[in-house]
Amino acid sequence: MPMIDLTMPSGTFTGDSKAELMETLTRTLLKWEGAKPGNKAAESIAWTFLHESALVTVAGRPTQQPRYRVVVGVPQGTLDGDAKAGLVAEVTEQILRAEMNGQAPAPEDSFRVWVIINEITDGNWGGGGRIFRLTDILTFAGAGEKEIERRMALLRQSAV
């Protein structure tokens, strides 16, 4: 049940490029969560929200170049440290490449993208009028018993 909230200045992208970017970001998050490409169950619970802001400032002043804030919500125990680092790097690159029509961004451009990962504590993710625990989500997404146990071990480690 991952969620992505992308906030950016209004008018940064056209309608089609917005949808393409959100699809790309969704695929990336699902990949780092360990979902197999084309997993329809996992895709059905991966939601994205695009927020276009009329004013984005740095130190209270309008900026010359767009700034992006990506807030990712994932169940606790879904991402280990390597997955978090990979997700942040890949999302940053994808947003900047979309802005630059596929061209490689300069290294300093990466500081215009902030990615915040919120791990939702197990037992605090609700949908359909009920609570979904990590085991519920993994089972729904078609994870096998071995993968569920691996993720539960990550959950136990993150709770310490």
Side-chain angles (χ1 to χ4, degrees), residues 97-126:
R97 280 192 180 268
E99 176 194 282
M100 298 174 187
N101 296 313
Q103 295 180 1
E108 61 271 14
D109 287 326
S110 66
F111 292 99
R112 296 189 292 112
V113 180
W114 291 87
V115 180
I116 302 156
I117 300 171
N118 288 328
E119 291 186 282
I120 311 305
T121 307
D122 196 41
N124 287 295
W125 201 300

Side-chain angles (χ1 to χ4, degrees), residues 15-147:
D16 288 344
S17 60
K18 289 180 214 178
E20 289 172 20
L21 176 59
M22 297 308 276
E23 185 177 345
T24 298
L25 296 177
T26 301
R27 280 194 316 268
T28 299
L29 176 54
L30 287 171
K31 176 187 86 172
W32 286 106
E33 279 195 320
K36 290 183 173 68
N39 180 328
K40 297 299 182 198
E43 290 174 355
S44 75
I45 56 174
W47 295 6
T48 62
F49 300 87
L50 176 62
H51 310 277
E52 292 188 273
S53 180
L55 179 64
V56 176
T57 67
V58 173
R61 294 182 295 279
T63 63
Q64 295 298 314
Q65 293 182 297
R67 299 300 197 269
Y68 305 91
R69 181 183 63 200
V70 184
V71 180
V72 177
V74 295
Q76 181 184 15
T78 303
L79 302 173
D80 62 17
D82 291 339
K84 289 176 186 178
L87 174 66
V88 169
E90 197 168 338
V91 162
T92 300
E93 176 84 9
Q94 289 169 336
I95 289 171
L96 293 171
R97 280 192 180 268
E99 176 194 282
M100 298 174 187
N101 296 313
Q103 295 180 1
E108 61 271 14
D109 287 326
S110 66
F111 292 99
R112 296 189 292 112
V113 180
W114 291 87
V115 180
I116 302 156
I117 300 171
N118 288 328
E119 291 186 282
I120 311 305
T121 307
D122 196 41
N124 287 295
W125 201 300
R130 63 171 281 231
I131 295 295
F132 284 89
R133 296 200 165 273
L134 182 57
T135 53
D136 301 324
I137 296 165
L138 293 170
T139 300
F140 178 82
E145 191 174 313
K146 195 176 220 179
E147 180 63 12

